[in-house]
Amino acid sequence: MSMVSLLASLVMAGAGCVAFAAIAVTVRGQLPAVRRLLADSRALAADREFLVEITTTSLPSAPRLPVRTRRAPVRLVRPAQVSAGSRLRAAA
């Protein structure tokens, strides 16, 4: 029975080593992609800092004048004086 337990322990240890090797190979294969991602992250951070610097160093604006409300134009409507000779006719 002790031989079976030793064999099971060796199988488990071998499976662990194979799993560790698979993880190492995967990480090593993806290393260039991880480096590109890190470079893109650094570039985005630099762009963000540049944009913040541009937007915070603006020229002082001219002093604003107080806003006045506009009144709506008022028209005086006078009733038309209709004379007997100047009535309009409908087109025939």
Side-chain angles (χ1 to χ4, degrees), residues 12-56:
M12 287 298 197
C17 289
V18 169
F20 183 74
I23 291 171
V25 167
T26 303
V27 169
R28 189 169 182 184
Q30 295 300 319
L31 198 57
V34 171
R35 286 185 181 144
R36 281 194 306 263
L37 283 174
L38 290 174
D40 285 346
S41 175
R42 286 188 210 110
L44 287 174
D47 287 346
R48 204 175 308 118
E49 290 174 9
F50 177 71
L51 290 174
V52 167
E53 184 178 334
I54 285 177
T55 55
T56 56

Side-chain angles (χ1 to χ4, degrees), residues 59-81:
L59 297 174
S61 61
R64 297 185 70 173
L65 298 175
V67 178
R68 294 184 315 183
T69 57
R70 288 184 56 188
R71 277 185 34 186
V74 178
R75 289 190 202 164
L76 296 176
V77 180
R78 296 183 186 153
Q81 296 177 356

